[in-house]
Amino acid sequence: MAGPARESHRWKWLLVSPALFVLLLAASGPLVIVLIYSFLSPGNMGGVSWDPSTEAWFRVFWSRDIFEPELVTLNDSHLAIFWRTIWLSFQTTVICAVLGFPTAWFIATRSARTRMVWLFLITIPFWTNLLIRTFAIQEMIRSNGTINTALLWLGVIDEPLEMMFTEFAVLLGMAYVFLPLMVLPLYAAMEKLDFRLVEAGYDLYASRRQVLWHVILPLVKPGFIAGSILVFIPSIGAYVTPRVLGGGKTMMLGNLIALQFGQGRNWPLGAALAMVLLVIVVVALIFYLRVTGSEERARNGRA
Amino acid sequence: MTEQTRHEIEITGVGKVFGQGETAFHALRNINLTIRTGEFFTLLGPSGCGKTTLLRVIAGFEQPTTGSLSINGQSVVGLAPNVRTVNTVFQNYALFPHMSVAENIGFGLKMLGRPRAEVAATTDEMLRLVRMESMAHRKPAELSGGQQQRVALARALAPRPRVLLLDEPLSALDLKLRKDMQSELKRLQIETGITFVFVTHDQEEALTMSDRLAVMNAGQILQLGSPHEIYNAPSERFVADFIGETNFLNLKVTARDGSGATVGLPGGATAQARLAEGISPAPGDTVPAVIRPEQVQLCPPGEGDMDGTVTGAVFFGTDTHVHLTLSDGQPFTVRRQNSADQPEPANGTPFGLRLTPGALQILRG
């Protein structure tokens, strides 16, 4: 029964070997280096010295008093940054979902031809460099930027709104940058949606809101799952947006890591923080897939 | 008024146009129709004739361009589907894939805000009604086509609508299952007493199940009546052709009387014919007429009303379709009941044809 078909399968894995090789070299290699660095001591001029130490890991969560090294307290500033990173990423995901759903719905309900045009428009921001787009947002929201100038001229406000270097600015920037990553998978899920099910919902006395809640949302949930992962993970590791729009006050984990490798000259701490970032992402993913996956298994439908 | 003559749905002058200007498509043209309370009413026609559009107008998925529509005496023009006491069984069933069978069936009542206990009780009752008790917790994807069909029926019946609309619900089922579901549907209709409006392109289905039916083509209702009336007294060629097999003959009217006419048959004999409603041909007119193949008996040549020569025969098991050419060259088909001692007629055999009295019908146009 196996015969030649089985035989040809045996060598198929060779087709993926170049990709596997690149992944091994470009992903696993650096990861191992980062992991090793996190257990070494900082070098004098940056870099690492090859003295094994758990000091970097200790410093991730705790800090020592400068004068009395025995006095150990929780590292509040690090914990605040962890929390801010998770919280801002979560908010970004929610904002993208709330804004992305009607957008995707609008596109999915157009005629087949115009859909392509709208999808094309959605992807246009990807053509411009992230840094430039972020600076464009800065231009919009800074004290004497476009929005404040317009509002002052209209007499809506008397003095410029402070929007730069706030969590609002970071949220705005991240939601803007990641919105297409939510819209596209949502659109893909909606395109597959059988609109006769929506009619069936109306026919069975459901109001518009009930149809949305009981029929449409459960059926496009796979799109929400994919979109949330695509938005949440890069948000956790965001660097450019909080750097340009958030400044030093609203630092995120990515900026903290960069700081250790730059001015901080503490590579082991930077490496340990990078591993923390990885752990946050993996834990968040597992948690998310657990929650949504258990429902998925329970339903076992064709959605 | 008695239960039989109450009007459940009244459709007056309903038209539906899709698009505008040059490309406008008239899906429905001036439909006038009254559907009685508690009847099994069928809209029959070929695909694209407007029957599904008419159903969607009744359900509220489409608003009529012109005309009015009332359900149980109240105008529903402009009302959304979710406020009409009408439920639909969709062609592809449209079961919610993320809900169990029981959740699907209870959906309508839940949306109406009925108490949990009532929803559960009605769901159980409906599961029993369609004999799906053991499948209550399955998902639609785990059911066969016939089972999905039953769930779709139960889901639409659960809120006890005044009218149940069925959009070609049996078209996806295989022949055996379709026959079973036909009698199942009829049983449900009688048990629940709900008015059924059934859309189909299958003439046999329409004849066997309906109390009354309307034959539609090109957005219009061509004829309305009981299956018996539609089959035996078609008013025009399309109806006669669409329903069952028919012989078409062009005949000359020789005399008129009150309700019928005398026509000359090929070969010189005459026969009495009925007239379709609303026509009044004069003697001397050539008119289209129909007679069903089973309303004609073969007999020895010269002993019948017409004569013909066999050109072919097709065996159908219970009967044989004998194709003949009449003396004036028109083709004709006779359906002959088969019996073991009867040989299949050979090509070229001459036969006489005896018409059943009153079976000849003169058509409109």
Side-chain angles (χ1 to χ4, degrees):
Chain A
M1 176 180 110
R6 179 65 61 86
E7 202 62 34
S8 68
H9 270 301
R10 190 169 293 172
W11 301 103
K12 286 255 169 82
W13 65 270
L14 271 176
L15 292 173
V16 297
S17 56
L20 277 178
F21 181 71
V22 171
L23 275 178
L24 215 64
L25 213 67
S28 312
L31 204 62
V32 170
I33 292 171
V34 170
L35 188 63
I36 293 171
Y37 275 18
S38 73
F39 287 104
L40 297 176
S41 306
N44 288 332
M45 306 291 289
V48 288
S49 75
W50 286 82
D51 304 317
S53 161
T54 54
E55 181 66 14
W57 280 98
F58 182 82
R59 293 270 306 271
V60 168
F61 301 101
W62 291 278
S63 51
R64 286 183 214 280
D65 195 274
I66 302 175
F67 302 108
E68 295 173 65
E70 299 79 35
L71 197 62
V72 170
T73 52
L74 276 176
N75 192 332
D76 294 336
S77 59
H78 282 186
L79 292 179
I81 288 172
F82 295 162
W83 171 245
R84 182 185 300 129
T85 304
I86 293 169
W87 179 231
L88 282 179
S89 302
F90 175 74
Q91 289 182 87
T92 303
T93 310
V94 171
I95 290 170
C96 285
V98 169
L99 298 180
F101 181 83
T103 312
W105 183 261
F106 174 83
I107 298 173
T109 50
R110 294 310 98 185
S111 71
R113 185 182 298 211
T114 39
R115 260 184 233 172
M116 288 303 121
V117 177
W118 288 106
L119 281 178
F120 173 74
L121 290 177
I122 285 285
T123 55
I124 278 185
F126 288 133
W127 297 7
T128 316
N129 182 284
L130 171 62
L131 194 60
I132 293 167
R133 281 186 287 154
T134 312
F135 274 113
I137 290 188
Q138 189 186 47
E139 173 56 32
M140 296 283 290
I141 64 174
R142 69 195 167 92
S143 294
N144 47 359
T146 318
I147 292 176
N148 274 320
T149 311
L151 289 178
L152 282 170
W153 186 79
L154 286 169
V156 180
I157 51 172
D158 296 327
E159 51 188 75
L161 296 172
E162 282 301 328
M163 288 182 284
M164 274 303 290
F165 309 124
T166 60
E167 289 195 357
F168 165 77
V170 179
L171 262 184
L172 180 74
M174 293 209 298
Y176 161 67
V177 167
F178 296 130
L179 186 58
L181 299 179
M182 180 64 87
V183 171
L184 293 177
L186 267 180
Y187 164 79
M190 284 174 190
E191 199 195 17
K192 280 184 284 177
L193 182 69
D194 183 353
F195 280 84
R196 283 170 295 197
L197 295 175
V198 175
E199 282 194 346
Y202 284 134
D203 188 64
L204 292 161
Y205 311 106
S207 63
R208 282 164 162 275
R209 192 184 303 173
Q210 284 171 320
V211 166
L212 177 69
W213 188 253
H214 293 288
V215 180
I216 298 169
L217 286 181
L219 292 176
V220 300
K221 208 172 79 177
F224 271 117
I225 294 173
S228 301
I229 290 172
L230 287 178
V231 171
F232 187 78
I233 291 176
S235 296
I236 285 277
Y239 170 73
V240 171
T241 312
R243 178 84 186 11
V244 174
L245 300 174
K249 277 189 295 177
T250 44
M251 199 182 266
M252 284 175 70
L253 195 43
N255 309 99
L256 181 64
I257 294 167
L259 193 66
Q260 303 312 322
F261 284 98
Q263 293 158 287
R265 286 188 190 165
N266 192 341
W267 286 28
L269 179 57
L273 286 168
M275 296 311 290
V276 169
L277 177 70
L278 186 70
V279 168
I280 290 176
V281 167
V282 169
V283 167
L285 255 184
I286 290 171
F287 174 76
Y288 197 66
L289 292 178
R290 272 280 165 79
V291 170
T292 54
S294 59
E295 278 177 46
E296 209 63 26
R297 245 172 286 126
R299 84 158 71 162
N300 196 20
R302 66 186 168 96
Chain B
M1 278 197 272
T2 63
E3 187 66 20
Q4 272 73 37
T5 57
R6 268 183 53 203
H7 296 166
E8 190 62 51
I9 300 176
E10 284 191 272
I11 298 167
T12 318
V14 161
K16 178 70 189 175
V17 185
F18 291 106
Q20 281 174 336
E22 296 271 309
T23 57
F25 172 67
H26 291 261
L28 295 174
R29 297 164 192 266
N30 191 28
I31 300 285
N32 292 291
L33 181 62
T34 301
I35 297 171
R36 298 168 188 158
T37 300
E39 76 175 333
F40 196 119
F41 189 90
T42 299
L43 296 167
L44 174 67
S47 58
C49 74
K51 56 192 193 297
T52 294
T53 305
L54 185 55
L55 201 75
R56 290 173 60 81
V57 166
I58 298 173
F61 297 128
E62 309 282 357
Q63 293 296 335
T65 313
T66 56
S68 65
L69 169 71
S70 63
I71 298 173
N72 193 30
Q74 294 193 314
S75 173
V76 294
V77 173
L79 291 186
N82 58 349
V83 291
R84 297 189 185 195
T85 52
V86 168
N87 288 142
T88 307
V89 177
F90 294 86
Q91 188 169 7
N92 65 337
Y93 318 135
L95 297 176
F96 302 122
H98 56 294
M99 297 182 200
S100 70
V101 165
E103 286 168 329
N104 263 285
I105 295 174
F107 187 84
L109 291 168
K110 193 175 149 194
M111 292 303 111
L112 285 169
R114 296 290 164 74
R116 218 174 265 262
E118 188 194 327
V119 175
T122 310
T123 301
D124 286 345
E125 190 193 328
M126 287 298 142
L127 283 167
R128 266 198 306 282
L129 190 68
V130 297
R131 296 166 189 151
M132 289 284 290
E133 299 99 315
S134 59
M135 307 279 178
H137 301 291
R138 298 265 186 102
K139 289 282 149 64
E142 299 170 287
L143 302 179
S144 70
Q147 291 168 334
Q148 291 187 27
Q149 173 65 79
R150 285 160 197 273
V151 176
L153 263 170
R155 184 179 72 171
L157 285 169
R160 302 211 177 283
R162 294 197 62 89
V163 181
L164 188 73
L165 307 176
L166 302 105
D167 186 7
E168 306 222 16
L170 309 181
S171 60
L173 305 178
D174 60 52
L175 185 67
K176 175 77 176 68
L177 204 53
R178 197 154 69 222
K179 297 279 177 214
D180 291 347
M181 282 307 295
Q182 283 176 9
S183 45
E184 182 91 3
L185 271 180
K186 195 70 190 166
R187 173 181 74 86
L188 285 172
Q189 196 258 331
I190 292 164
E191 265 177 50
T192 57
I194 290 172
T195 308
F196 275 35
V197 182
F198 186 83
V199 158
T200 184
H201 63 264
D202 182 329
Q203 44 102 5
E204 193 188 318
E205 212 165 83
L207 292 178
T208 54
M209 298 172 74
S210 323
D211 294 321
R212 291 196 307 148
L213 62 136
V215 182
M216 292 184 70
N217 190 36
Q220 287 172 304
I221 292 180
L222 300 182
Q223 194 174 359
L224 181 68
S226 68
H228 197 271
E229 286 165 353
I230 301 271
Y231 184 79
N232 288 312
S235 63
E236 48 194 288
R237 191 185 174 101
F238 181 88
V239 176
D241 200 22
F242 194 73
I243 303 202
E245 284 188 56
T246 293
N247 290 299
F248 291 100
L249 294 171
N250 282 313
L251 303 174
K252 190 161 268 190
V253 177
T254 58
R256 275 294 309 277
D257 55 49
S259 61
T262 308
V263 290
L265 297 172
T270 60
Q272 195 62 25
R274 286 173 291 125
L275 295 174
E277 211 178 300
I279 58 165
S280 182
D285 290 355
T286 299
V287 291
V290 288
I291 185 162
R292 297 287 179 188
E294 69 276 14
Q295 304 282 20
V296 182
Q297 282 87 47
L298 296 177
C299 59
E303 289 181 19
D305 301 300
M306 304 186 287
D307 286 310
T309 312
V310 175
T311 58
V314 182
F315 179 70
F316 274 88
T318 57
D319 48 29
T320 298
H321 291 192
V322 182
H323 300 290
L324 306 107
T325 305
L326 299 181
S327 51
D328 68 347
Q330 296 194 66
F332 200 86
T333 301
V334 175
R335 181 183 287 189
R336 187 171 71 166
Q337 188 79 29
N338 281 331
S339 60
D341 57 348
Q342 211 169 30
E344 200 140 296
N347 283 0
T349 315
F351 272 109
L353 303 167
R354 193 178 293 133
L355 309 187
T356 305
L360 196 61
Q361 165 96 357
I362 296 174
L363 301 175
R364 224 180 269 158

Short mmCIF file of all heavy atoms in Angstrom, two decimals, chain A residues 87-115:
data_model
loop_
_atom_site.label_atom_id
_atom_site.label_comp_id
_atom_site.label_asym_id
_atom_site.label_seq_id
_atom_site.Cartn_x
_atom_site.Cartn_y
_atom_site.Cartn_z
N TRP A 87 0.05 46.38 29.56
CA TRP A 87 -1.20 47.13 29.57
C TRP A 87 -1.39 47.91 28.27
O TRP A 87 -2.48 47.87 27.67
CB TRP A 87 -1.21 48.05 30.79
CG TRP A 87 -2.44 48.91 30.95
CD1 TRP A 87 -2.46 50.27 31.15
CD2 TRP A 87 -3.81 48.50 30.94
NE1 TRP A 87 -3.75 50.71 31.25
CE2 TRP A 87 -4.60 49.65 31.12
CE3 TRP A 87 -4.44 47.27 30.77
CZ2 TRP A 87 -5.99 49.62 31.16
CZ3 TRP A 87 -5.85 47.24 30.79
CH2 TRP A 87 -6.59 48.40 30.99
N LEU A 88 -0.34 48.58 27.80
CA LEU A 88 -0.45 49.33 26.54
C LEU A 88 -0.69 48.39 25.36
O LEU A 88 -1.48 48.69 24.47
CB LEU A 88 0.82 50.17 26.28
CG LEU A 88 0.96 51.47 27.07
CD1 LEU A 88 2.28 52.15 26.72
CD2 LEU A 88 -0.20 52.40 26.77
N SER A 89 -0.03 47.23 25.37
CA SER A 89 -0.20 46.27 24.28
C SER A 89 -1.62 45.73 24.28
O SER A 89 -2.25 45.57 23.23
CB SER A 89 0.78 45.11 24.42
OG SER A 89 2.09 45.61 24.43
N PHE A 90 -2.14 45.47 25.48
CA PHE A 90 -3.51 44.98 25.60
C PHE A 90 -4.49 46.03 25.07
O PHE A 90 -5.38 45.73 24.28
CB PHE A 90 -3.81 44.65 27.07
CG PHE A 90 -5.24 44.25 27.31
CD1 PHE A 90 -5.69 42.99 26.92
CD2 PHE A 90 -6.13 45.12 27.91
CE1 PHE A 90 -7.01 42.62 27.13
CE2 PHE A 90 -7.46 44.76 28.12
CZ PHE A 90 -7.89 43.51 27.72
N GLN A 91 -4.29 47.29 25.51
CA GLN A 91 -5.17 48.36 25.04
C GLN A 91 -5.09 48.53 23.53
O GLN A 91 -6.09 48.74 22.85
CB GLN A 91 -4.82 49.68 25.72
CG GLN A 91 -5.20 49.72 27.18
CD GLN A 91 -4.87 51.09 27.78
OE1 GLN A 91 -5.67 52.01 27.71
NE2 GLN A 91 -3.68 51.21 28.32
N THR A 92 -3.86 48.45 23.01
CA THR A 92 -3.69 48.56 21.56
C THR A 92 -4.49 47.48 20.84
O THR A 92 -5.19 47.75 19.86
CB THR A 92 -2.20 48.40 21.18
OG1 THR A 92 -1.45 49.38 21.89
CG2 THR A 92 -1.98 48.57 19.70
N THR A 93 -4.43 46.25 21.36
CA THR A 93 -5.16 45.14 20.75
C THR A 93 -6.65 45.41 20.77
O THR A 93 -7.35 45.21 19.78
CB THR A 93 -4.83 43.83 21.50
OG1 THR A 93 -3.41 43.72 21.61
CG2 THR A 93 -5.37 42.63 20.75
N VAL A 94 -7.14 45.89 21.92
CA VAL A 94 -8.58 46.16 22.05
C VAL A 94 -9.00 47.28 21.09
O VAL A 94 -10.00 47.18 20.38
CB VAL A 94 -8.95 46.52 23.50
CG1 VAL A 94 -10.38 47.01 23.60
CG2 VAL A 94 -8.74 45.31 24.40
N ILE A 95 -8.18 48.36 21.06
CA ILE A 95 -8.52 49.48 20.16
C ILE A 95 -8.54 49.01 18.70
O ILE A 95 -9.46 49.31 17.94
CB ILE A 95 -7.51 50.64 20.34
CG1 ILE A 95 -7.72 51.30 21.71
CG2 ILE A 95 -7.66 51.68 19.23
CD1 ILE A 95 -6.62 52.28 22.07
N CYS A 96 -7.53 48.22 18.33
CA CYS A 96 -7.48 47.72 16.95
C CYS A 96 -8.68 46.84 16.65
O CYS A 96 -9.24 46.90 15.55
CB CYS A 96 -6.19 46.93 16.70
SG CYS A 96 -4.75 47.99 16.55
N ALA A 97 -9.11 46.03 17.63
CA ALA A 97 -10.27 45.15 17.40
C ALA A 97 -11.53 45.98 17.24
O ALA A 97 -12.33 45.74 16.33
CB ALA A 97 -10.41 44.17 18.57
N VAL A 98 -11.68 47.00 18.10
CA VAL A 98 -12.89 47.82 18.04
C VAL A 98 -12.95 48.62 16.74
O VAL A 98 -14.01 48.74 16.12
CB VAL A 98 -12.96 48.76 19.27
CG1 VAL A 98 -14.05 49.81 19.11
CG2 VAL A 98 -13.20 47.94 20.53
N LEU A 99 -11.81 49.17 16.31
CA LEU A 99 -11.78 49.95 15.08
C LEU A 99 -11.75 49.03 13.85
O LEU A 99 -12.28 49.36 12.80
CB LEU A 99 -10.57 50.89 15.04
CG LEU A 99 -10.49 51.96 16.12
CD1 LEU A 99 -9.23 52.80 15.94
CD2 LEU A 99 -11.72 52.85 16.06
N GLY A 100 -11.10 47.89 14.02
CA GLY A 100 -10.89 47.00 12.88
C GLY A 100 -12.15 46.27 12.46
O GLY A 100 -12.36 46.01 11.28
N PHE A 101 -13.01 45.95 13.45
CA PHE A 101 -14.22 45.17 13.12
C PHE A 101 -15.12 45.90 12.12
O PHE A 101 -15.42 45.35 11.07
CB PHE A 101 -14.98 44.81 14.40
CG PHE A 101 -16.20 43.99 14.12
CD1 PHE A 101 -16.10 42.62 13.95
CD2 PHE A 101 -17.45 44.60 13.99
CE1 PHE A 101 -17.23 41.86 13.66
CE2 PHE A 101 -18.57 43.84 13.71
CZ PHE A 101 -18.46 42.48 13.54
N PRO A 102 -15.54 47.15 12.42
CA PRO A 102 -16.39 47.83 11.42
C PRO A 102 -15.68 48.04 10.09
O PRO A 102 -16.30 47.97 9.04
CB PRO A 102 -16.73 49.17 12.07
CG PRO A 102 -15.96 49.26 13.32
CD PRO A 102 -15.36 47.95 13.64
N THR A 103 -14.36 48.30 10.14
CA THR A 103 -13.62 48.49 8.90
C THR A 103 -13.66 47.22 8.06
O THR A 103 -13.99 47.25 6.87
CB THR A 103 -12.14 48.83 9.22
OG1 THR A 103 -12.12 49.85 10.20
CG2 THR A 103 -11.41 49.29 7.97
N ALA A 104 -13.35 46.09 8.69
CA ALA A 104 -13.35 44.82 7.97
C ALA A 104 -14.74 44.49 7.47
O ALA A 104 -14.92 43.99 6.35
CB ALA A 104 -12.83 43.70 8.88
N TRP A 105 -15.74 44.79 8.29
CA TRP A 105 -17.13 44.52 7.90
C TRP A 105 -17.49 45.34 6.67
O TRP A 105 -18.11 44.85 5.73
CB TRP A 105 -18.07 44.85 9.06
CG TRP A 105 -19.50 44.54 8.76
CD1 TRP A 105 -20.46 45.42 8.36
CD2 TRP A 105 -20.12 43.25 8.81
NE1 TRP A 105 -21.63 44.75 8.16
CE2 TRP A 105 -21.46 43.43 8.43
CE3 TRP A 105 -19.66 41.97 9.13
CZ2 TRP A 105 -22.36 42.38 8.37
CZ3 TRP A 105 -20.57 40.92 9.07
CH2 TRP A 105 -21.90 41.12 8.69
N PHE A 106 -17.10 46.61 6.70
CA PHE A 106 -17.37 47.48 5.56
C PHE A 106 -16.76 46.89 4.29
O PHE A 106 -17.42 46.79 3.26
CB PHE A 106 -16.79 48.87 5.83
CG PHE A 106 -16.88 49.82 4.67
CD1 PHE A 106 -18.06 50.53 4.43
CD2 PHE A 106 -15.81 50.00 3.81
CE1 PHE A 106 -18.15 51.38 3.36
CE2 PHE A 106 -15.89 50.85 2.73
CZ PHE A 106 -17.08 51.56 2.51
N ILE A 107 -15.51 46.48 4.39
CA ILE A 107 -14.83 45.96 3.19
C ILE A 107 -15.50 44.65 2.73
O ILE A 107 -15.77 44.46 1.55
CB ILE A 107 -13.34 45.73 3.46
CG1 ILE A 107 -12.66 47.06 3.82
CG2 ILE A 107 -12.65 45.11 2.24
CD1 ILE A 107 -11.23 46.91 4.27
N ALA A 108 -15.80 43.77 3.70
CA ALA A 108 -16.32 42.46 3.34
C ALA A 108 -17.71 42.55 2.72
O ALA A 108 -18.14 41.64 2.02
CB ALA A 108 -16.37 41.55 4.57
N THR A 109 -18.44 43.66 2.97
CA THR A 109 -19.79 43.76 2.42
C THR A 109 -19.82 44.56 1.12
O THR A 109 -20.89 44.83 0.59
CB THR A 109 -20.75 44.40 3.45
OG1 THR A 109 -20.16 45.59 3.95
CG2 THR A 109 -21.03 43.46 4.60
N ARG A 110 -18.64 44.97 0.63
CA ARG A 110 -18.60 45.64 -0.69
C ARG A 110 -18.69 44.58 -1.79
O ARG A 110 -18.55 43.39 -1.52
CB ARG A 110 -17.30 46.43 -0.88
CG ARG A 110 -17.05 47.63 0.02
CD ARG A 110 -18.19 48.58 0.10
NE ARG A 110 -18.96 48.29 1.32
CZ ARG A 110 -20.08 48.89 1.66
NH1 ARG A 110 -20.60 49.79 0.88
NH2 ARG A 110 -20.70 48.58 2.78
N SER A 111 -18.89 45.04 -3.01
CA SER A 111 -18.87 44.10 -4.14
C SER A 111 -17.44 43.61 -4.34
O SER A 111 -16.48 44.26 -3.92
CB SER A 111 -19.36 44.79 -5.41
OG SER A 111 -18.41 45.73 -5.84
N ALA A 112 -17.31 42.44 -4.97
CA ALA A 112 -16.01 41.80 -5.09
C ALA A 112 -14.95 42.73 -5.67
O ALA A 112 -13.79 42.71 -5.24
CB ALA A 112 -16.13 40.54 -5.94
N ARG A 113 -15.34 43.57 -6.60
CA ARG A 113 -14.36 44.42 -7.25
C ARG A 113 -13.88 45.55 -6.35
O ARG A 113 -12.68 45.78 -6.21
CB ARG A 113 -14.96 45.00 -8.54
CG ARG A 113 -13.95 45.80 -9.33
CD ARG A 113 -14.59 46.39 -10.56
NE ARG A 113 -15.07 45.31 -11.45
CZ ARG A 113 -15.11 45.43 -12.76
NH1 ARG A 113 -14.71 46.55 -13.33
NH2 ARG A 113 -15.56 44.46 -13.51
N THR A 114 -14.84 46.24 -5.69
CA THR A 114 -14.44 47.36 -4.84
C THR A 114 -13.69 46.89 -3.59
O THR A 114 -12.89 47.62 -3.04
CB THR A 114 -15.66 48.21 -4.41
OG1 THR A 114 -16.74 47.33 -4.15
CG2 THR A 114 -16.05 49.18 -5.49
N ARG A 115 -13.96 45.64 -3.16
CA ARG A 115 -13.23 45.08 -2.02
C ARG A 115 -11.73 45.17 -2.23
O ARG A 115 -10.99 45.54 -1.34
CB ARG A 115 -13.58 43.60 -1.89
CG ARG A 115 -14.59 43.29 -0.85
CD ARG A 115 -14.76 41.81 -0.78
NE ARG A 115 -16.17 41.49 -0.91
CZ ARG A 115 -16.61 40.25 -1.04
NH1 ARG A 115 -15.77 39.25 -1.11
NH2 ARG A 115 -17.88 40.03 -1.14
#
